[in-house]
Amino acid sequence: MLSLLLTIFTGSVLTAWVSRFGRLYAAWAAGALALLGLLQLVPRAAAVFAGETLIERLAWMPISGLDLVFRLDGLGLLFALLILGIGLLVIVYARYYLSPRDCMGRFYAYLLLFMGAMLGIVLSENIIQLLIFWELTSLSSFLLISYWQYRADARQGARMALAITGAGGMALLGGFVLLGEIAGSYELSTILASGDVIRAHPHYLPMLVLVLLGAFTKSAQFPFHFWLPNAMSAPTPVSAYLHSATMVKAGVFLLARLFPALSGTPEWAWLVSGVGLTTFILGAFMALFQHDLKGLLAYSTISHLGLITVLFGIGTPLAAVAGVFHIINHAIFKASLFMAAGIIDHESGSRDMRCLNGLWKYMPHTALLAMVAAAAMAGVPLLNGFLSKEMFFAEAVSAGTHLQLGWLLPVLITIGGIFAVAYSFRFIHDVFFNGEPIDLPKTPHEPPRWMKVPVELLVALCLLVGILPSLTVEPILRIAAAGVLQTELPHFDLAIWHGVSPALLMSLAAALGGGLLYAMRSPLFALHEKYCGRLQGKLLFDGLLAGVFASAGSITRWLDTGSLQRLMLSFFIAVLVLGGSGYIGSGSPLAGSRELLELDAISLIAGLGLILAAVATVVLHRQRFVALVLIGAVGLVVSLIFVKFSAPDLALTQLSVEIVTIVLLLLALYFLPQRPARESSRPRVLRDVSIAALVGGGATLLTWAVLTRPYGSIAGYFLENAKPEGGGNNVVNVILVDFRGYDTLGEIAVLALAALGIFAMLEKLQLPGPETDEQGRRWNRDTHPAVMASLTRLLLPLALLVSIFILLRGHNLPGGGFIAGLITAVALIMQYLANGVTWTQSRLPANMHPVIGFGLLLAAATGLGSWLVGHPYLTSTFTYLDWPLVGKFEVASAMAFDVGVYLVVVGATLLILIHLGLMHSASHASPDPQGPR
Amino acid sequence: MSHLIIAPVLLPLFAGLLLLLLRSVLSVRIHRTLSLIAVVGQIGLAIALLSRVHSGEILTYMLGGWIPPFGIVLVADRLSVWMLLITALLALPALLHGVRGTDLRGRHFHILFQWQLFGLSGAFLTGDLFNLFVFFEILLLASYGLLLHGGGRLRTRAGLHFVIINLAGSTLFLFAVGTLYGILGTLNMADLARQVALVPAEHLGPVKAASLLLFGVFILKSALIPLHLWLPAAYANTSAPVAALFAIMTKLGAYAILRIDTLIFGSSAGALAGMLDAWLLPLALLTLVIGMLGVVAASALRQQIAYLVVASVGSLLTAFALGSAAGIAAGLYYLPHATFAAGAFFLLADAIASRRGGFDDRFEPGVVLADRKVLGGLFFVVAMLSVGLPPLSGFIGKWMTLQAALPHPSLPWIMASILGTSLLGIIAMARSGSVLFYRAEAAPVDSATPLRVGTRTRELLPAILLLLLCLALVIWAGPVDEFARATAAQLLQPEDYIRAVLEP
Amino acid sequence: MMEALMALVIGVLTACGVYLTLRARTFPVVLGLTFLSYAVNLFLFTMGRLTIGRPPIIHWTAADYADPLPQALVLTAIVISFAMTAFVIMLSLKAREELGNDHVDGRDDA
């Protein structure tokens, strides 16, 4: 079977390809491939007729229980034959139907894709695999229906079909996952054998509902029926295929396939036959009132699928046999009818039955074919439709006898039958007789010879099956039914004459009633126009869809306002909720038992001062310069705190970072709008203050909670090993360059990245500087004060010396590459501030990239050195040198690392500041409005 | 102790350094070649590592030779190497697209790109919580640069938001790490896992608070609601290759969640075992739904894809939240699919937008596209992929998740969300496709890109590469499934990890 | 009670940071982020508990030392936050150019 599917799917690609060489090649290729497919079935058919079930397995995801497994039994064979046989006829027919404007390659590629997907469904042993092909049919039918994509109704019809069958597919996935869980396997052989387990399982009902949703959406059962008429906007060959052997039949195939596993419960009986019956009657009723030829046929399809569904719903073996039989018959006559309708449309230019009249004169041959097919649809004796319809009526009667109100079932079904006869009458009489055609676009005539051949073949089949059932259809029907029931068949005979039975009476009633109904059609049409004119599922669906889009839109816009403040707010609230619930949820006390330090006055004052400065910054943040000065003070106190609590390195670092940051902010401030931003609204301020207070309070509590608890850490190790193993007394520095040198490497990478990112960002950035400051004073354009200039020039070498010293001693005493780097940077920045950009530029390279690069390289490469001696990355080594004058001196490879840090810091900091400086000089250069003084 | 473990970190670092030092010397062509070679090498390294850890061995690397928990240790287990491989495989097509001109629209594209990979690899490999923070910062700064690359109003605005919210996130990260250190006195994740189990009840408070704050950080990174709002604008407005590369960024957050959830709060965590589960599932499901609503509501293709990324994180973490081996395995299968699919979609969207002239990627009936057949076909496939239609990888991941959810008490919710959102996705995609490709009124614009077949294929090659990766996920679903399950089993045995790190 | 004061200081710094990051203009937001980094650096530092007059520098006279690890971590953190602050400052300038004003969302409703 795999080879068969491969033939069709690769064929789909092939057809698309050959169509470049000539549009008809596509048709030929497609036809040849479908034929090839049929031939591949022949050898296997024998075994199946002998009662075997062929299984082909291909391992895919064995652990998860999903393999590619194919199954060919009677049911599968029957459907495969229908799909390929009718498919072949459709291919021939479409070759003449499509106009030169239509791209044949695309059409046949889609058609074969769809054909392959259908074959996949009917040949699957694994239900997940079945679902895969199921969804593929939805997709490929979308492509087929929207084939004339320039037509709005085609696009809408296609999207509706996809939405509804897609929804069904999702339900089916859910149902199949449950079914697989219940049966313990996804493979049909197991599932079909374990019907009792399945029916007894607590999940049976939800699973059943989900599976049925899948089946009903696909086979256009009420209330999902409306997508099918809207799919008429597809080219007629496609409709002929979708309505007869494929798509909608996939739904009833599923009912047949799972019949032994799911049927036999009241839930099944009520759901399936209930829905089926409604669809049967409703479809027949609607069909009568369609004026579009294809519309009538579409609703009749809905009705007939309802009929088949009822039969499977009744649930007796005989009913199932009748169901399979009607599947065959309906496929045959419905295909021929659509093709006939297509011919009429093609040759007369219209499908409106109010204009199409008396075509008998113009196309007698086609008319004859159409009339026979329509008669089969109506269930006229000696035609195939009659036989299965008889069985249907008989089953309805016998089923009716079991349940109370049973007589209702045959009555309802007869009513449906009456409408069926009526619309068949209409199809024949209205179109081919009933006076003269009314202003048709073209004068009708017979189609080309080969366009009729497929119809002739199908109609011939209608007659053969109708007259000689036991010679023609019986064998295949038997094996197919056996495939459905998975047990030995009940007794049945396909005789044309069963004597006078209730079923026969029902047929007669239907025939007479149908005739009457059609005779009195004109008043009925008027009534229908008046009352059920705009009663359509489509409108409902469109409304629903519009609702979905609207609500999705409003929800999304409500959440995503593109406001940063909203984002920050949700962040802080999330933090509060998470942290708070975490702590409270644990139920542990706030404070621990650790004994605390004495609070001395100076610390208290410093602390309060810091708090004061911080609050002041917030209050005055709209006076930006003041805020800047205040935050500088805050930073200063923070570094004092580090000093107080024995962290000299941190103090130094914090201090130098502080200076650079403030300088940066100062320079940046110059470019930001001077006028203070508007005050936020009072409620907004209140809200933010309370959030801030809550988060701040949380931080306080968390700190308190930790600080009051006893404590043991891995710190001891570092203190012990810093000197003997790391060769340094300053443990913090040894950690930075050695124990956790990898962090430091990352840290300077961050610094380098920041510099590069800023460089990339500020390139070509031109901001106009303000002419005056807030108070309206003009910026001073005087040259830089000479005293300061000369002073800083003197100080520069000294500063550099200091930084070198700090760098070198860093390993043993407070200091290290980072602090040294910042000091150097600060010293150089002073040059800018004192001497101006131009003076400094002339003495200092503006391009800092090499400095950063070499620094990072040095740091990263020292780590590599240890590889040579087989140690892991960043393993350090150190030795003691004896320097004259200096004395015994110790060098650690980690120092090279620290030099790298130093270079990166200098490079990055300068790069950023130089850029700002350049922007300043550029903005100063901007012409002075008052002209030169 | 093999240096192979640290190689994926050092290769992009030194590649970036080389490009930085020789930036003025080398021609653009050589820059691009070097960058591409480095990424290919990265793939090679990931594969080499995979062959090492495939057996289930957990490799460790003690930086500076300091024994854990004192020094920083790198850990390569199945999960981290899986992430490395996915990242490298995504990076190559993204870069291939980048070298077609994007890299010249600003400075340092290749350096930033390499160091983004440097940060990602470091984050996936590290076994130390503070070091994880450091590498988060590296990849964030690189991503800031990449996100802003090329400039522009919307891009700058999105970048500003992205940077500020992530700075807040980093602060939160430090609060969490600090608290954990303050109580447990260690930073090594394996050691943390041990200490967590020993915390006396009266000290649980700070630990639990800190753990949830840490979780909050990862919620932000992986763009779970309510912290997903930074993503759509950022991804929709940046350049195509960057957006494609960023497809892995949210997965990094998911990785971190999975890691701490299984290692630190795993089965052996005593009182704190599985403390995140109560939060994760509802958040994930909500994200899935909200994200898919965004997909439906989107008014332009890139925005729609960005919301698809949000939704995919939702379904990914739904799978992880199931906590079972099957669930985690489903997630680990779904993760590369979601990453590659999003990447491919962003690259394709670029090609489409470039042919629509002024209509760009907005959902308005615009011009008849040049190469509409190729683009339409690709769009159809990528859309199927993204909404999880069979037979593609998205469907398999979805099905595995559903299957894994069967024993879960809240199965109805999970099933309803997953199936419902898939349907919404189908409807939305059908609409987008028919607007972009069917309802075309105006005549084709001759777009900036010349449309000779050669250039076209070269232009679409990266997207096609990513599609092929997804196809590979389908064809070799069996082996991947097997590997994913093995990985899940390894994650659910945290003792092995802890022993491998602390008792080498 | 030194710890209480410290906790208070950290809380206030955090609160100030939070409030300022919720403002609508880039400059206060930058200040807010600076506050937040002060707060978190102090917090991280105090996680090694408070010790007076015992810097972690090995010396034969010293009996006991402060926990060096948090100090090292804070140093790293300071550097990183410095880089981040620098970047966000420059980004705010970039935004001022691209958006035409200093509102975080580019809306000029002032």
Side-chain angles (χ1 to χ4, degrees):
Chain A
M1 281 76 85
L2 184 61
S3 58
L4 168 58
L5 285 178
L6 284 178
T7 318
I8 302 299
F9 280 124
T10 48
S12 155
V13 183
L14 189 73
T15 11
W17 179 67
V18 295
S19 65
R20 334 169 127 218
F21 307 111
R23 53 195 304 273
L24 292 190
Y25 288 14
W28 284 111
L33 285 156
L35 199 60
L36 188 60
L38 268 174
L39 294 180
Q40 280 173 305
L41 273 182
V42 173
R44 298 188 176 79
V48 177
F49 273 102
E52 285 182 52
T53 299
L54 307 179
I55 300 282
E56 275 179 27
R57 178 178 299 273
L58 195 73
W60 188 21
M61 294 175 70
I63 324 171
S64 299
L66 175 53
D67 283 341
L68 290 178
V69 198
F70 297 93
R71 168 196 186 92
L72 186 67
D73 62 359
L75 186 62
L77 180 63
L78 167 65
F79 268 88
L81 288 172
L82 285 176
I83 293 163
L84 286 164
I86 295 185
L88 187 54
L89 297 180
V90 169
I91 289 170
V92 176
Y93 177 81
R95 142 84 180 81
Y96 295 92
Y97 179 89
L98 292 180
S99 76
R101 291 185 295 104
D102 304 324
C103 165
M104 280 213 169
R106 217 175 91 238
F107 180 85
Y108 282 110
Y110 291 167
L111 196 70
L112 285 183
L113 184 65
F114 179 67
M115 184 186 275
M118 273 309 297
L119 284 169
I121 292 182
V122 301
L123 294 180
S124 286
E125 157 80 356
N126 184 309
I127 54 175
I128 296 299
Q129 171 196 342
L130 186 155
L131 183 91
I132 291 178
F133 290 112
W134 182 278
E135 295 283 41
L136 270 182
T137 55
S138 303
L139 282 168
S140 42
S141 61
F142 170 84
L143 292 173
L144 281 170
I145 298 168
S146 64
Y147 175 72
W148 284 322
Q149 35 190 249
Y150 46 84
R151 285 172 40 179
D153 59 339
R155 294 195 301 262
Q156 285 158 8
R159 275 169 59 187
M160 184 187 291
L162 181 63
I164 292 180
T165 52
M170 291 305 147
L172 197 56
L173 172 57
F176 277 174
V177 170
L178 285 175
L179 181 55
E181 168 79 353
I182 297 171
S185 159
Y186 288 116
E187 305 206 344
L188 282 167
S189 343
T190 323
I191 293 171
L192 298 181
S194 49
D196 301 330
V197 186
I198 294 169
R199 282 184 287 269
H201 197 280
H203 287 162
Y204 170 73
L205 188 56
M207 181 272 293
L208 179 67
V209 171
L210 287 169
V211 171
L212 289 182
L213 274 174
F216 290 164
T217 47
K218 202 75 161 182
S219 54
Q221 296 298 294
F222 178 83
F224 312 110
H225 58 284
F226 52 88
W227 71 263
L228 190 58
N230 285 293
M232 292 183 315
S233 36
T236 303
V238 174
S239 312
Y241 202 31
L242 257 58
H243 285 252
S244 60
T246 62
M247 198 64 182
V248 291
K249 285 289 171 39
V252 286
F253 168 82
L254 194 64
L255 294 181
R257 182 85 281 178
L258 297 175
F259 187 78
L262 304 186
S263 71
T265 62
E267 296 91 335
W268 167 276
W270 283 110
L271 282 171
V272 179
S273 45
V275 169
L277 192 58
T278 323
T279 317
F280 171 58
I281 297 169
L282 191 83
F285 173 81
M286 303 277 278
L288 179 58
F289 296 101
Q290 300 302 311
H291 298 306
D292 180 337
L293 205 52
K294 281 177 80 176
L296 183 150
L297 292 177
Y299 277 102
S300 85
T301 305
I302 292 174
S303 169
H304 278 273
L305 283 157
L307 186 162
I308 297 166
T309 310
V310 175
L311 279 167
F312 285 112
I314 290 172
T316 59
L318 213 48
V321 176
V324 177
F325 192 18
H326 198 67
I327 288 177
I328 304 174
N329 296 332
H330 175 258
I332 297 172
F333 64 67
K334 190 49 65 72
S336 53
L337 279 169
F338 262 104
M339 289 181 183
I343 292 175
I344 294 166
D345 182 9
H346 204 256
E347 305 309 336
S348 70
S350 166
R351 294 193 325 223
D352 188 336
M353 281 185 280
R354 285 162 300 191
C355 315
L356 292 168
N357 299 319
L359 292 188
W360 172 260
K361 272 202 260 5
Y362 301 91
M363 38 173 69
H365 189 163
T366 312
L368 187 66
L369 294 172
M371 287 194 281
V372 176
M377 174 165 73
V380 173
L382 298 185
L383 292 167
N384 60 351
F386 173 74
L387 298 170
S388 45
K389 208 158 187 175
E390 284 289 285
M391 292 173 87
F392 171 52
F393 287 160
E395 282 313 306
V397 173
S398 64
T401 54
H402 302 322
L403 22 101
Q404 72 275 50
L405 292 179
W407 55 270
L408 206 55
L409 188 58
V411 173
L412 288 173
I413 285 176
T414 317
I415 295 171
I418 291 173
F419 278 102
V421 172
Y423 66 68
S424 310
F425 266 137
R426 184 178 181 202
F427 184 89
I428 297 170
H429 177 265
D430 218 351
V431 175
F432 298 108
F433 308 100
N434 196 22
E436 278 299 307
I438 302 160
D439 49 42
L440 294 173
K442 0 176 174 169
T443 42
H445 55 79
E446 287 288 350
R449 180 82 201 79
W450 278 92
M451 199 166 178
K452 277 185 302 218
V453 169
V455 193
E456 287 161 347
L457 286 172
L458 289 165
V459 169
L461 269 176
C462 291
L463 283 159
L464 277 173
V465 172
I467 298 165
L468 304 166
S470 45
L471 295 187
T472 50
V473 77
E474 188 154 359
I476 182 85
L477 176 58
R478 285 194 175 280
I479 58 161
V484 172
L485 297 172
Q486 297 288 314
T487 55
E488 76 287 350
L489 291 174
H491 166 76
F492 65 90
D493 69 333
L494 302 174
I496 301 164
W497 177 255
H498 291 104
V500 178
S501 64
L504 187 66
L505 298 178
M506 286 165 76
S507 305
L508 285 175
L512 294 175
L516 268 150
L517 196 61
Y518 179 67
M520 51 189 287
R521 60 184 180 284
S522 33
L524 286 177
F525 285 175
L527 281 175
H528 181 272
E529 282 305 322
K530 195 143 176 280
Y531 295 110
C532 345
R534 67 199 79 60
L535 200 71
Q536 288 181 25
K538 183 181 187 310
L539 301 174
L540 210 88
F541 174 82
D542 292 346
L544 192 68
L545 210 57
V548 168
F549 277 105
S551 47
S554 46
I555 292 175
T556 308
R557 274 188 301 280
W558 172 66
L559 285 171
D560 186 355
T561 56
S563 147
L564 176 67
Q565 286 162 292
R566 166 76 73 89
L567 182 53
M568 298 303 282
L569 189 66
S570 52
F571 174 78
F572 289 125
I573 291 173
V575 168
L576 275 174
V577 171
L578 286 168
S581 62
Y583 204 112
I584 296 158
S586 71
S588 56
L590 175 60
S593 54
R594 190 166 184 276
E595 104 283 357
L596 308 170
L597 294 172
E598 276 314 306
L599 177 57
D600 59 277
I602 302 124
S603 320
L604 184 59
I605 294 162
L608 294 180
L610 180 146
I611 292 174
L612 213 64
V615 175
T617 321
V618 172
V619 176
L620 301 175
H621 76 267
R622 275 186 312 286
Q623 301 170 32
R624 295 177 165 178
F625 188 75
V626 183
L628 209 50
V629 175
L630 284 167
I631 201 171
V634 173
L636 208 62
V637 182
V638 170
S639 49
L640 288 181
I641 294 178
F642 289 137
V643 178
K644 168 79 179 174
F645 298 108
S646 21
D649 289 272
L650 288 186
L652 278 171
T653 318
Q654 178 65 42
L655 201 61
S656 35
V657 164
E658 197 56 37
I659 295 166
V660 180
T661 315
I662 295 299
V663 172
L664 268 179
L665 278 167
L666 266 173
L667 292 174
L669 194 52
Y670 173 77
F671 290 107
L672 293 174
Q674 301 296 314
R675 48 138 188 71
R678 195 192 51 179
E679 172 80 81
S680 339
S681 68
R682 183 141 299 284
R684 164 68 67 95
V685 169
L686 280 176
R687 186 197 74 187
D688 293 352
V689 165
S690 38
I691 291 286
L694 285 169
V695 177
T700 304
L701 291 179
L702 190 59
T703 320
W704 179 246
V706 176
L707 289 189
T708 52
R709 281 177 159 78
Y711 165 74
S713 88
I714 54 177
Y717 178 89
F718 302 114
L719 293 165
E720 285 154 22
N721 294 304
K723 187 67 182 168
E725 300 290 328
N729 291 327
N730 181 353
V731 185
V732 174
N733 182 273
V734 176
I735 293 178
L736 281 173
V737 298
D738 200 341
F739 291 110
R740 295 185 70 90
Y742 189 57
D743 275 348
T744 311
L745 181 63
E747 158 201 325
I748 57 177
V750 169
L751 205 52
L753 268 166
L756 298 185
I758 289 168
F759 178 79
M761 187 164 62
L762 292 194
E763 219 204 359
K764 301 194 301 292
L765 180 63
Q766 277 301 351
L767 280 173
E771 280 306 315
T772 66
D773 66 3
E774 295 102 290
Q775 283 73 27
R777 285 169 305 212
R778 299 177 44 75
W779 291 95
N780 183 351
R781 295 287 176 82
D782 302 347
T783 52
H784 303 267
V787 184
M788 184 171 172
S790 44
L791 194 61
T792 46
R793 281 174 217 177
L794 283 178
L795 281 176
L796 179 62
L798 186 59
L800 291 181
L801 266 178
V802 170
S803 61
I804 301 295
F805 171 67
I806 286 188
L807 168 66
L808 289 180
R809 72 173 220 162
H811 214 49
N812 295 312
L813 290 162
F818 186 76
I819 300 158
L822 279 175
I823 292 177
T824 315
V826 172
L828 291 169
I829 294 157
M830 294 306 286
Q831 302 306 308
Y832 277 93
L833 297 184
N835 305 311
V837 177
T838 36
W839 184 88
T840 324
Q841 294 282 293
S842 55
R843 290 155 182 76
L844 193 75
N847 178 7
M848 284 292 153
H849 287 86
V851 183
I852 300 175
F854 278 118
L856 199 48
L857 185 65
L858 187 58
T862 38
L864 281 181
S866 51
W867 278 9
L868 305 176
V869 284
H871 287 299
Y873 188 63
L874 286 176
T875 310
S876 74
T877 168
F878 61 92
T879 164
Y880 293 89
L881 297 178
D882 218 338
W883 273 14
L885 306 174
V886 183
K888 194 140 165 293
F889 191 87
E890 168 252 346
V891 261
S893 67
M895 285 183 156
F897 187 86
D898 223 6
V899 174
V901 177
Y902 171 84
L903 287 175
V904 174
V905 174
V906 174
T909 321
L910 284 178
L911 187 148
I912 298 166
L913 287 159
I914 291 171
H915 250 76
L916 265 177
L918 289 175
M919 278 167 60
H920 270 267
S921 45
S923 74
H924 280 310
S926 63
D928 189 328
Q930 275 87 29
R933 277 165 294 177
Chain B
M1 189 150 52
S2 137
H3 299 309
L4 180 61
I5 303 165
I6 196 173
V9 184
L10 294 182
L11 173 63
L13 169 62
F14 280 98
L17 266 172
L18 195 67
L19 293 172
L20 172 60
L21 287 167
L22 306 181
R23 58 189 271 278
S24 43
V25 185
L26 301 178
S27 70
V28 177
R29 164 178 290 272
I30 299 177
H31 258 265
R32 291 172 166 174
T33 330
L34 283 177
S35 197
L36 282 167
I37 291 172
V39 173
V40 173
Q42 190 75 351
I43 297 178
L45 289 174
I47 292 172
L49 263 176
L50 190 66
S51 62
R52 286 286 307 279
V53 299
H54 191 278
S55 59
E57 185 189 3
I58 295 177
L59 308 170
T60 63
Y61 191 83
M62 294 175 241
L63 283 150
W66 303 108
I67 53 163
F70 308 107
I72 297 171
V73 60
L74 301 189
V75 187
D77 66 349
R78 287 199 182 102
L79 176 59
S80 43
V81 177
W82 186 231
M83 298 305 293
L84 280 178
L85 182 62
I86 295 166
T87 311
L89 287 174
L90 174 70
L92 183 61
L95 190 57
L96 276 173
H97 191 286
V99 297
R100 302 192 73 264
T102 318
D103 55 350
L104 299 183
R105 301 224 182 84
R107 296 299 199 92
H108 297 327
F109 178 84
H110 292 285
I111 303 172
L112 293 170
F113 194 96
Q114 291 298 333
W115 284 355
Q116 174 87 59
L117 295 181
F118 166 54
L120 284 163
S121 312
F124 288 134
L125 282 171
T126 188
D128 181 285
L129 202 53
F130 188 81
N131 188 243
L132 181 64
F133 164 78
V134 172
F135 275 94
F136 264 45
E137 298 307 300
I138 294 173
L139 66 90
L140 277 175
L141 250 175
S143 68
Y144 300 160
L146 286 172
L147 178 65
L148 291 159
H149 179 80
R153 187 172 187 283
L154 290 170
R155 193 171 291 181
T156 307
R157 185 184 136 182
L160 188 66
H161 293 187
F162 182 69
V163 171
I164 291 174
I165 189 68
N166 274 303
L167 284 179
S170 311
T171 314
L172 184 61
F173 199 147
L174 282 180
F175 267 107
V177 175
T179 314
L180 288 177
Y181 180 81
I183 298 295
L184 307 173
T186 184
L187 295 167
N188 177 297
M189 291 201 253
D191 198 26
L192 278 171
R194 275 208 178 153
Q195 302 301 331
V196 157
L198 309 175
V199 181
E202 72 268 23
H203 297 339
L204 273 180
V207 178
K208 212 161 176 194
S211 317
L212 281 180
L213 291 181
L214 195 60
F215 179 55
V217 177
F218 300 144
I219 288 181
L220 176 67
K221 304 291 175 204
S222 55
L224 280 179
I225 76 161
L227 302 184
H228 67 292
L229 290 172
W230 58 268
L231 190 143
Y235 282 37
N237 290 316
T238 187
S239 59
V242 175
L245 181 65
F246 279 15
I248 193 69
M249 295 273 276
T250 52
K251 314 302 184 294
L252 171 66
Y255 160 84
I257 291 177
L258 179 62
R259 180 64 85 190
I260 60 167
D261 191 24
T262 51
L263 175 61
I264 302 183
F265 307 114
S267 48
S268 61
L272 294 176
M275 63 169 285
L276 300 185
D277 302 355
W279 294 85
L280 196 49
L281 186 60
L283 284 180
L285 288 178
L286 270 173
T287 310
L288 175 56
V289 174
I290 297 289
M292 204 45 94
L293 287 178
V295 171
V296 174
S299 59
L301 183 53
R302 292 197 188 91
Q303 189 191 15
Q304 190 165 47
I305 305 168
Y307 270 109
L308 272 173
V309 172
V310 175
S312 73
V313 170
S315 26
L316 173 61
L317 284 169
T318 305
F320 286 161
L322 296 171
S324 62
I328 295 174
L332 291 175
Y333 180 93
Y334 186 83
L335 198 152
H337 149 76
T339 313
F340 299 148
F345 218 154
F346 273 118
L347 297 184
L348 183 62
D350 193 39
I352 293 173
S354 70
R355 284 165 174 71
R356 294 186 84 226
F359 295 97
D360 196 29
D361 66 340
R362 271 173 285 116
F363 291 141
E364 298 165 5
V367 298
V368 178
L369 290 182
D371 329 307
R372 59 190 304 216
K373 279 193 181 153
V374 187
L375 290 175
L378 285 175
F379 180 90
F380 189 74
V381 176
V382 180
M384 279 173 68
L385 197 63
S386 312
V387 300
L389 278 175
L392 300 175
S393 44
F395 170 79
I396 298 176
K398 189 165 64 183
W399 164 67
M400 286 173 78
T401 313
L402 281 175
Q403 204 182 14
L406 280 167
H408 200 279
S410 42
L411 170 65
W413 289 103
I414 300 171
M415 203 176 245
S417 321
I418 292 182
L419 298 179
T421 49
S422 318
L423 179 59
L424 283 179
I426 295 174
I427 294 171
M429 281 300 143
R431 172 159 155 278
S432 319
S434 77
V435 172
L436 289 174
F437 291 96
Y438 287 177
R439 293 180 52 200
E441 273 104 37
V445 286
D446 46 351
S447 58
T449 51
L451 302 176
R452 277 178 291 97
V453 176
T455 37
R456 188 215 296 153
T457 40
R458 240 182 284 120
E459 175 187 3
L460 296 175
L461 180 70
I464 294 171
L465 268 179
L466 286 167
L467 286 184
L468 289 179
L469 285 172
C470 290
L471 194 64
L473 279 173
V474 177
I475 296 171
W476 290 285
V480 176
D481 184 22
E482 205 170 324
F483 179 80
R485 283 172 188 272
T487 312
Q490 191 178 47
L491 288 172
L492 294 176
Q493 290 291 333
E495 294 75 14
D496 303 354
Y497 182 107
I498 297 168
R499 222 173 294 114
V501 172
L502 296 180
E503 295 147 25
Chain C
M1 295 308 288
M2 205 62 103
E3 284 79 359
L5 180 66
M6 201 59 168
L8 189 63
V9 165
I10 290 170
V12 171
L13 287 173
T14 315
C16 295
V18 171
Y19 180 80
L20 286 176
T21 43
L22 286 170
R23 297 302 97 215
R25 303 279 156 179
T26 48
F27 183 74
V29 171
V30 172
L31 291 188
L33 293 169
T34 321
F35 268 116
L36 284 179
S37 62
Y38 288 151
V40 77
N41 290 339
L42 278 179
F43 179 83
L44 198 53
F45 171 64
T46 52
M47 287 302 106
R49 305 300 188 272
L50 302 178
T51 40
I52 300 176
R54 302 202 222 93
I57 293 164
I58 306 297
H59 193 269
W60 59 276
T61 56
D64 182 17
Y65 302 100
D67 185 341
L69 187 54
Q71 297 195 15
L73 301 185
V74 173
L75 223 153
T76 310
I78 291 178
V79 182
I80 289 176
S81 59
F82 166 63
M84 291 292 176
T85 316
F87 190 88
V88 79
I89 292 172
M90 298 305 159
L91 181 52
S92 63
L93 295 187
K94 173 84 168 171
R96 193 235 184 291
E97 184 209 28
E98 295 275 2
L99 309 178
N101 59 54
D102 65 340
H103 190 289
V104 286
D105 303 334
R107 287 188 281 105
D108 204 2
D109 48 11

